[in-house]
């Protein structure tokens, strides 16, 4: 089985040996007065992901480099940037059988919670990093403007005006798009919809042309739905 691990648009050179994905919930158990318990079901909590990855400082034949060889320093810089810039990104794992058949993909928007760099003499010049990710959910805020007008002799009158900061944007028209070098479905969706996580809209509209959402090629023509 072949694994491809992506942190955003960055392909890790050596897939981790082990991947732990914890999908928790926020259910609450209560004790009743008759000494029985009930379980109150609530919405799922945030998913956590943990793994340890090898970052080579030499070029191994089994390592994968999407844009040419990069040493461990490059990937450590990517992790540092994600942490310092507080950037949410897509975590993607693509799984393929030896025949080339895709089993299933993991594709989730996450934030980098923490990572630990480990150097061990038995690993030679290479570096190992333990990485912990946590699911990221989009949210927005609202601005409430309160205007108080006082009249005499009547009692004070309070008028509440609510302004939603989220501005509606017109839906893009359906059109064709020709894939260019360096494109990925995430970036194309962000260009047309303003949100890269809507890449599935493009994928579902072009399943006859896209076998693996992580692999598209320059020159392909996709239909971009409205």
């Amino acid at each position: 089985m072949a694994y491809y691990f992506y942190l955003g648009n960055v392909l890790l050179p050596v897939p981790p040996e082990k991947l732990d994905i914890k999908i928790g919930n926020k259910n609450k158990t209560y004790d009743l007065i008759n000494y029985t318990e009930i379980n109150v079901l609530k919405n799922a909590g945030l998913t956590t992901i943990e793994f340890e990855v090898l970052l080579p400082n030499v070029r191994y034949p089994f390592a994968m480099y999407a844009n040419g060889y990069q040493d461990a320093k490059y990937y450590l810089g990517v992790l540092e940037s994600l942490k310092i810039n507080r950037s949410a990104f897509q975590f993607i794992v693509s799984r393929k059988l030896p025949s080339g058949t895709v089993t299933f993909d993991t594709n989730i928007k996450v934030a980098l919670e923490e990572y630990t760099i480990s150097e061990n003499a038995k690993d030679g010049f290479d570096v190992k990093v333990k990485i912990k990710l946590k699911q990221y959910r989009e949210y927005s805020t609202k601005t409430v403007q309160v205007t108080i007008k006082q009249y005499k002799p009547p009692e004070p009158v309070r008028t509440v005006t609510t302004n939603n900061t989220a501005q509606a944007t017109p839906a893009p028209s359906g059109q064709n798009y020709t894939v260019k070098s360096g494109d990925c479905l995430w970036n194309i969706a962000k260009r047309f919809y303003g949100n890269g996580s809507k890449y599935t809209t493009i994928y579902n509209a072009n399943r006859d042309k896209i076998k693996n959402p992580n692999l598209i090629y320059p020159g392909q023509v996709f239909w971009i739905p409205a």
Side-chain angles (χ1 to χ4, degrees):
M1 169 109 40
Y3 285 85
Y4 302 89
F5 277 67
Y6 290 87
L7 299 182
N9 292 325
V10 177
L11 173 66
L12 296 180
V14 181
E17 295 180 358
K18 180 182 178 183
L19 172 65
D20 292 323
I21 301 178
K22 182 179 179 181
I23 305 171
N25 59 50
K26 293 294 183 179
N27 296 347
K28 185 71 175 179
T29 301
Y30 294 95
D31 293 323
L32 302 182
I33 58 175
N34 61 353
Y35 303 107
T36 59
E37 290 183 328
I38 60 172
N39 192 18
V40 178
L41 305 182
K42 299 185 178 182
N43 291 336
L46 297 175
T47 297
T48 58
I49 301 168
E50 296 185 35
F51 57 89
E52 184 178 58
V53 63
L54 173 70
L55 300 180
N57 270 316
V58 294
R59 185 165 189 167
Y60 294 123
F62 55 81
M64 298 174 292
Y65 300 97
N67 298 307
Y69 169 72
Q70 298 285 355
D71 60 14
K73 182 179 179 181
Y74 168 80
Y75 297 99
L76 292 175
V78 171
L79 292 172
E80 182 179 9
S81 176
L82 291 174
K83 189 65 177 175
I84 292 177
N85 296 333
R86 296 180 293 176
S87 305
F89 56 94
Q90 290 300 123
F91 173 68
I92 301 173
V93 180
S94 178
R95 303 166 177 84
K96 288 186 179 182
L97 297 174
S99 63
T101 303
V102 177
T103 55
F104 69 98
D105 291 331
T106 296
N107 193 331
I108 182 173
K109 194 168 188 178
V110 298
L112 178 59
E113 287 296 293
E114 62 183 56
Y115 63 96
T116 303
I117 302 171
S118 175
E119 293 185 81
N120 193 314
K122 69 179 183 179
D123 296 323
F125 299 106
D126 300 331
V127 176
K128 286 186 177 179
V129 182
K130 292 181 180 178
I131 297 175
K132 182 177 181 180
L133 309 174
K134 181 173 284 189
Q135 182 182 9
Y136 178 83
R137 289 177 181 162
E138 300 285 352
Y139 63 91
S140 60
T141 59
K142 292 183 179 181
T143 300
V144 179
Q145 180 179 349
V146 180
T147 303
I148 301 176
K149 295 182 179 180
Q150 226 172 10
Y151 299 90
K152 292 182 180 181
E155 293 292 327
V157 177
R158 292 178 173 83
T159 302
V160 179
T161 303
T162 303
N163 293 329
N164 194 332
T165 57
Q167 300 296 323
T169 56
S173 301
Q175 58 182 291
N176 287 323
Y177 177 76
T178 302
V179 177
K180 300 178 178 60
S181 178
D183 276 344
C184 66
L185 289 184
W186 178 268
N187 290 338
I188 295 174
K190 188 171 184 180
R191 178 183 307 167
F192 285 95
Y193 302 125
N195 187 344
S197 64
K198 293 186 177 181
Y199 78 96
T200 54
T201 301
I202 302 173
Y203 172 58
N204 290 330
N206 297 273
R207 283 180 174 271
D208 57 329
K209 303 174 184 175
I210 305 174
K211 302 305 179 183
N212 182 346
N214 299 314
L215 298 175
I216 61 176
Y217 306 96
Q220 287 184 293
V221 179
F222 297 153
W223 174 249
I224 309 298

